[in-house]
């Protein structure tokens, strides 16, 4: 008989934060008051918060100790130099400009590299990334493989670039209209899907022929590296840390939301190997964020980030982090729940189109599903569908993405596997009652990144 050997988290719990669960009636009221937008719920009214993995991770005792080492000098903080040294050592980029979070780095790099009329190909859009490209006068072009748009495709590297699509764009608009290719590790909007090293190498080869650079959105690079280690030939014996460095070495500049991989509650940076871009970036950061040795962060934040970066590339950390996400995903698969396959690295994505085949995209199926889930159990998830995709800036019409998803995003080191069991049971319950859902109508729509603040009413 085969003996079952379980795995467990590579840490023990030192401090706890009590949770509160409202009654179903109270949850119904809270959801209505929040305009059926989970971003507008109060955190205190949430039982298990899977809205995002952004800034929600639990810091280690070492990171908390690091906070006490904050050097809050306006200029030249010791923690900045520690962070700079860590970025060089762990990530391999030469120059560092800290920012308060990822989108600030996206703002700065877009301003520096994009001219009005440029095209920015990328392995699927990300909300803030694309917006900053557009604000700088660029146009985003999706060049990810078709499998990424198919929630049932089991391609192990759905973050891969379709080289033919990229070549076609270069032929159509000319290389001088393409300052860079935007490569994300992992691809958030595709369901947390990794890009393979082989594909990244091929993208590098193709773009170098035309003098096109690569800007790396390295928000979840360690998670991507873990998936390469698990699934790509030739990488099983390499460490996550080694793979992270190899990925980065194939790119020119990077933007980082340290609120994800790097295990801090706030922080980000822009990194580059180009001294000219660095010079411009550290000048612009003074305009938008703060002096180039703090970029909108306290010294203590930079210290926690430096320590978190090192913890994030440890094999046993990624094994438990991604392992927990896969644990939840496999529970749902066993129940026959429609989820994006393969299971991604930072969350499980429910396929709202298959939950609610009776709803059209104009009735916001994913928004509806996130609301139903909260009412059922106090679990907070996030819409990633037509609301997140916004409107076409030229026609004013909704963008209708193929993927209409609800993201159950798992914060790092925060919840136990028992919490995952509770979540899976609630999703199964909502799935059973799916035929009763009626959809929503939008009654308030903000101009930018509407998914954060839009309000809805039940149809
Ligand atoms: C979160 C995120 C960003 C933006 O970072 P913020 O820190 O939230 O500003 C950019 N790209 C990806 C892939 C992300 O997940």
């Amino acid at each position: 008989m085969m003996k079952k050997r379980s795995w467990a988290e590579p840490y023990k719990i030192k401090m706890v934060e009590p949770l509160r669960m409202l009654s179903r009636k109270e949850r119904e009221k809270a959801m209505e008051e929040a305009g059926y937008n989970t971003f507008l719920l109060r955190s205190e009214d949430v039982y298990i918060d899977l809205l995002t993995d952004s800034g929600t991770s639990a810091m280690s005792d070492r990171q908390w100790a690091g906070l006490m080492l904050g050097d809050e000098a306006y200029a030249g903080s010791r923690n900045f130099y520690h962070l700079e040294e860590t970025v060089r050592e762990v990530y391999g980029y030469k120059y560092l400009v800290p920012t308060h979070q990822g989108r600030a780095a996206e703002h700065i790099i877009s301003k520096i590299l994009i001219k009005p009329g440029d095209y920015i190909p990328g392995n699927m859009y990300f909300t803030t990334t694309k917006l900053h490209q557009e604000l700088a006068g660029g146009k985003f072009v999706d060049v990810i493989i078709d499998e990424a748009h198919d929630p049932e495709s089991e391609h192990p590297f759905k973050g891969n670039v379709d080289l033919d699509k990229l070549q076609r764009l270069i032929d159509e608009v000319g290389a001088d209209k393409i300052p860079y290719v935007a490569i994300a590790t992992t691809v958030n909007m595709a369901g947390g899907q990794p890009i393979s090293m082989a594909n990244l190498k091929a993208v590098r080869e193709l773009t170098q022929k035309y003098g096109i650079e690569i800007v790396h959105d390295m928000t979840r690079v360690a998670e991507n590296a873990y998936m390469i280690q698990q699934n790509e030939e030739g990488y099983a014996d390499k460490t996550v840390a080694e793979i992270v460095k190899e990925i980065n070495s194939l790119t020119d500049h990077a933007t980082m939301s340290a609120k994800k991989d790097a295990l801090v509650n706030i922080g980000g940076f822009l990194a580059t190997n180009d001294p000219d871009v660095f010079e411009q970036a550290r000048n612009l950061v003074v305009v938008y964020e703060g002096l180039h040795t703090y970029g909108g962060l306290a010294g203590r934040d930079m210290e926690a980030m430096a320590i978190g970066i090192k913890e994030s590339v440890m094999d046993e950390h990624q094994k438990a982090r991604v392992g927990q996400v896969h644990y939840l995903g496999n529970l749902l698969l066993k129940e026959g729940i429609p989820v994006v396959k393969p299971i991604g690295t930072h969350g499980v994505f429910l396929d709202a189109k298959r939950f609610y085949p009776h709803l059209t995209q104009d009735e916001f199926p994913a928004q509806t599903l996130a609301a139903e889930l909260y009412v059922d159990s106090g679990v907070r998830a996030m819409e990633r569908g037509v609301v997140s995709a916004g409107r076409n800036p030229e026609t004013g019409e909704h963008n209708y993405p193929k993927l209409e998803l609800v993201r159950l995003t798992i914060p790092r080191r925060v919840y136990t596997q028992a919490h995952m069991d509770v979540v899976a049971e609630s999703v199964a319950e909502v799935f059973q009652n799916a035929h009763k859902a009626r959809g929503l109508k939008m009654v308030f729509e903000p101009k930018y990144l509407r998914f954060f603040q839009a309000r809805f009413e039940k149809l």
Side-chain angles (χ1 to χ4, degrees):
M1 202 169 68
M2 207 162 73
K3 260 194 237 151
K4 179 172 181 236
R5 301 301 300 254
S6 296
W7 61 272
E9 292 81 355
Y11 49 81
K12 56 185 177 176
I13 295 166
K14 184 173 276 186
M15 193 187 288
V16 298
E17 183 180 337
L19 297 172
R20 190 169 77 114
M21 191 170 181
L22 302 181
S23 69
R24 186 178 178 99
K25 248 205 158 65
E26 289 169 320
R27 293 197 298 271
E28 278 170 359
K29 185 160 168 280
M31 196 70 260
E32 192 187 340
E33 280 173 9
Y36 297 92
N37 184 344
T38 52
F39 279 102
L40 301 179
L41 285 167
R42 288 167 184 255
S43 149
E44 279 197 315
D45 294 342
V46 172
Y47 177 47
I48 298 176
D49 202 348
L50 308 185
L51 183 72
T52 173
D53 64 331
S54 180
T56 54
S57 300
M59 292 207 295
S60 66
D61 53 356
R62 284 155 184 80
Q63 287 178 287
W64 279 101
L67 293 185
M68 297 305 292
L69 301 176
D71 171 5
E72 307 306 340
Y74 189 90
S77 159
R78 161 163 42 96
N79 314 116
F80 166 76
Y81 294 105
H82 182 201
L83 179 61
E84 184 183 56
E85 187 188 293
T86 306
V87 166
R88 284 184 182 148
E89 181 191 325
V90 178
Y91 293 142
Y93 294 110
K94 281 195 200 129
Y95 306 107
L96 165 75
V97 177
T99 58
H100 82 282
Q101 55 184 86
R103 70 196 69 184
E106 292 171 344
H107 175 206
I108 291 169
I109 199 76
S110 301
K111 261 195 144 62
I112 294 171
L113 297 180
I114 300 173
K115 295 184 307 303
D118 279 349
Y119 293 83
I120 319 297
N123 55 348
M124 207 175 260
Y125 84 101
F126 184 73
T127 53
T128 58
T129 320
K130 175 163 166 268
L131 178 59
H132 281 298
Q133 291 163 357
E134 289 169 356
L135 290 172
K139 187 171 189 296
F140 173 80
V141 183
D142 189 2
V143 294
I144 203 164
I145 56 172
D146 287 337
E147 286 88 339
H149 294 282
D150 173 4
E152 292 186 73
S153 158
E154 304 233 23
H155 194 297
F157 292 102
K158 283 166 116 175
N160 282 357
V161 169
D162 182 328
L163 294 163
D164 292 335
K165 286 186 193 169
L166 181 56
Q167 180 71 58
R168 234 175 291 141
L169 180 73
I170 296 171
D171 295 343
E172 253 172 58
V173 305
D176 57 334
K177 282 258 179 283
I178 305 174
Y180 63 86
V181 177
I183 294 294
T185 54
T186 56
V187 181
N188 192 344
M189 303 301 274
Q193 304 292 335
I195 179 173
S196 72
M197 194 74 81
N199 183 255
L200 182 57
K201 281 183 184 161
V203 172
R204 184 63 159 176
E205 209 170 291
L206 175 62
T207 49
Q208 273 186 335
K209 243 179 31 195
Y210 293 96
I212 297 171
E213 299 196 298
I214 295 179
V215 174
H216 178 200
D217 181 343
M218 61 180 299
T219 294
R220 296 182 184 81
V221 67
E223 292 176 11
N224 198 122
Y226 177 72
M227 296 311 289
I228 288 175
Q229 183 195 58
Q230 295 303 302
N231 295 328
E232 189 164 353
E233 220 184 292
Y235 287 90
D237 295 328
K238 295 221 159 103
T239 63
V240 168
E242 286 166 343
I243 300 169
V244 163
K245 265 198 132 157
E246 186 175 343
I247 293 172
N248 295 352
S249 74
L250 295 165
T251 69
D252 301 287
H253 320 280
T255 58
M256 175 66 162
S257 172
K259 303 172 69 172
K260 323 281 171 61
D261 247 8
L263 297 161
V264 285
N265 304 121
I266 193 74
F269 61 76
L270 191 164
T272 178
N273 293 325
D274 181 331
D276 291 336
V277 170
F278 172 57
E279 211 44 72
Q280 291 179 61
R282 82 173 176 163
N283 192 210
L284 277 180
V285 81
V286 179
V287 181
Y288 296 108
E289 296 284 291
L291 193 70
H292 58 277
T293 55
Y294 75 87
L297 294 169
R300 57 178 172 268
D301 296 331
M302 292 188 282
E303 189 62 27
M305 200 198 302
I307 297 166
I309 286 170
K310 287 211 166 148
E311 292 177 358
S312 78
V313 297
M314 290 177 167
D315 283 33
E316 67 270 30
H317 165 68
Q318 286 305 338
K319 184 173 171 218
R321 188 288 181 275
V322 178
Q324 187 177 49
V325 177
H326 287 198
Y327 174 80
L328 174 62
N330 288 329
L331 286 178
L332 295 176
L333 283 172
K334 239 188 283 166
E335 287 292 323
I337 309 284
V339 299
V340 174
K341 287 189 281 188
I343 306 297
T345 66
H346 69 295
V348 181
F349 291 66
L350 307 175
D351 185 352
K353 278 189 181 169
R354 279 187 285 157
F355 261 72
Y356 301 135
H358 59 293
L359 297 184
T360 69
Q361 248 177 322
D362 286 312
E363 294 165 323
F364 307 111
Q367 193 78 26
T368 303
L369 177 52
E372 294 283 336
L373 188 62
Y374 172 76
V375 170
D376 181 74
S377 60
V379 170
R380 171 155 70 171
M382 182 200 293
E383 193 262 9
R384 278 299 183 219
V386 65
V387 184
S388 292
R391 289 182 186 272
N392 180 318
E394 274 142 39
T395 66
E397 296 289 305
H398 290 308
N399 292 320
Y400 292 100
K402 277 201 197 127
L403 299 179
E404 181 71 28
L405 307 176
V406 166
R407 190 178 81 180
L408 303 167
T409 341
I410 315 301
R412 297 166 187 77
R413 309 192 291 207
V414 172
Y415 293 113
T416 64
Q417 300 209 12
H419 289 111
M420 298 302 112
D421 294 341
V422 169
V423 172
E425 287 159 20
S426 174
V427 172
E429 177 83 22
V430 171
F431 186 56
Q432 256 178 12
N433 294 317
H435 59 282
K436 294 185 202 152
R438 279 168 309 161
L440 297 166
K441 68 165 190 256
M442 204 186 315
V443 294
F444 170 70
E445 180 174 357
K447 188 165 168 205
Y448 300 111
L449 302 175
R450 62 183 183 176
F451 58 94
F452 283 129
Q453 290 152 338
R455 299 185 70 86
F456 301 82
E457 276 171 16
K458 272 195 166 168
L459 281 174

